[in-house]
Coordinates of all heavy atoms in Angstrom, one line a residue:
F205 N 5.8 29.3 -21.4 CA 4.8 30.2 -21.9 C 5.1 31.6 -21.6 O 5.0 32.5 -22.5 CB 3.4 29.8 -21.2 CG 2.3 30.8 -21.7 CD1 1.6 30.6 -22.9 CD2 1.9 31.9 -21.0 CE1 0.7 31.4 -23.4 CE2 0.9 32.7 -21.5 CZ 0.3 32.5 -22.6
M208 N 8.0 32.8 -23.9 CA 7.7 32.8 -25.3 C 6.6 33.9 -25.6 O 6.7 34.5 -26.7 CB 7.1 31.5 -25.7 CG 8.1 30.3 -25.8 SD 7.4 28.7 -26.2 CE 6.4 29.1 -27.6
L212 N 6.3 35.7 -29.6 CA 5.6 35.0 -30.6 C 4.1 35.4 -30.6 O 3.6 35.9 -29.6 CB 5.7 33.5 -30.3 CG 7.0 32.9 -30.3 CD1 7.0 31.5 -29.9 CD2 7.6 33.0 -31.7
P213 N 3.5 35.3 -31.7 CA 2.0 35.5 -31.8 C 1.3 34.6 -30.8 O 1.7 33.4 -30.6 CB 1.6 35.2 -33.3 CG 2.9 35.3 -34.0 CD 4.0 34.9 -33.1
R214 N 0.3 35.1 -30.1 CA -0.3 34.3 -29.1 C -0.8 32.9 -29.6 O -0.7 31.9 -28.8 CB -1.5 35.1 -28.6 CG -2.3 34.4 -27.4 CD -3.2 35.3 -26.7 NE -3.8 34.7 -25.5 CZ -3.2 34.6 -24.4 NH1 -2.0 35.1 -24.2 NH2 -3.7 34.0 -23.4
Y215 N -1.4 32.8 -30.8 CA -1.8 31.6 -31.3 C -0.7 30.5 -31.4 O -1.0 29.3 -31.1 CB -2.6 31.7 -32.6 CG -1.7 31.8 -33.9 CD1 -1.3 30.6 -34.5 CD2 -1.2 33.0 -34.3 CE1 -0.5 30.7 -35.7 CE2 -0.4 33.0 -35.4 CZ 0.0 32.0 -36.0 OH 0.8 32.1 -37.1
L216 N 0.5 31.0 -31.7 CA 1.6 30.0 -31.8 C 2.0 29.5 -30.3 O 2.3 28.3 -30.1 CB 2.9 30.6 -32.4 CG 2.9 30.7 -33.9 CD1 4.2 31.3 -34.4 CD2 2.7 29.3 -34.5
V217 N 2.0 30.4 -29.4 CA 2.3 30.1 -28.0 C 1.2 29.1 -27.5 O 1.6 28.0 -27.0 CB 2.4 31.3 -27.1 CG1 2.5 30.9 -25.6 CG2 3.5 32.2 -27.5
E218 N 0.0 29.4 -27.7 CA -1.1 28.5 -27.3 C -1.0 27.2 -28.0 O -1.3 26.1 -27.3 CB -2.4 29.2 -27.5 CG -2.7 30.3 -26.5 CD -4.0 31.1 -26.8 OE1 -4.6 30.8 -27.9 OE2 -4.2 32.0 -26.0
Q219 N -0.8 27.1 -29.3 CA -0.6 25.9 -30.0 C 0.5 25.1 -29.5 O 0.3 23.9 -29.3 CB -0.4 26.2 -31.5 CG -0.2 25.0 -32.4 CD 0.2 25.4 -33.8 OE1 0.4 26.6 -34.1 NE2 0.2 24.4 -34.7
N220 N 1.6 25.6 -29.2 CA 2.8 24.9 -28.6 C 2.5 24.4 -27.2 O 2.9 23.3 -26.9 CB 4.0 25.7 -28.6 CG 4.8 25.7 -30.0 OD1 4.8 24.7 -30.5 ND2 5.1 26.9 -30.5
I221 N 1.8 25.2 -26.4 CA 1.4 24.7 -25.0 C 0.4 23.6 -25.1 O 0.7 22.6 -24.5 CB 0.9 25.9 -24.2 CG1 1.9 27.0 -24.0 CG2 0.2 25.4 -23.0 CD1 3.0 26.5 -23.1
T222 N -0.5 23.6 -26.0 CA -1.5 22.5 -26.2 C -0.7 21.3 -26.6 O -1.0 20.2 -26.1 CB -2.5 22.9 -27.2 OG1 -3.2 24.1 -26.8 CG2 -3.5 21.8 -27.4
E223 N 0.2 21.4 -27.6 CA 0.9 20.3 -28.1 C 1.8 19.8 -26.9 O 1.9 18.5 -26.8 CB 1.8 20.7 -29.2 CG 2.3 19.5 -30.0 CD 1.3 18.5 -30.5 OE1 0.2 19.0 -30.9 OE2 1.6 17.3 -30.6
A224 N 2.4 20.6 -26.1 CA 3.3 20.2 -25.0 C 2.5 19.4 -24.0 O 3.0 18.5 -23.4 CB 4.0 21.4 -24.5
K225 N 1.3 19.7 -23.7 CA 0.5 19.1 -22.8 C 0.3 17.6 -23.2 O 0.2 16.7 -22.5 CB -0.9 19.7 -22.6 CG -0.9 21.0 -21.9 CD -2.2 21.6 -21.7 CE -2.1 23.0 -21.1 NZ -3.5 23.6 -20.9
F230 N 8.2 20.3 -27.8 CA 7.9 21.5 -28.7 C 8.5 21.2 -30.0 O 9.4 20.5 -30.2 CB 8.5 22.8 -28.0 CG 7.7 23.3 -26.9 CD1 8.0 23.0 -25.7 CD2 6.7 24.3 -27.2 CE1 7.3 23.5 -24.5 CE2 6.0 24.8 -26.1 CZ 6.3 24.4 -24.8

Side-chain angles (χ1 to χ4, degrees):
F205 179 81
M208 289 173 53
L212 296 174
R214 184 169 186 79
Y215 80 91
L216 279 180
V217 175
E218 289 173 353
Q219 178 184 9
N220 277 315
I221 292 297
T222 300
E223 192 62 29
K225 286 179 182 177
F230 281 91

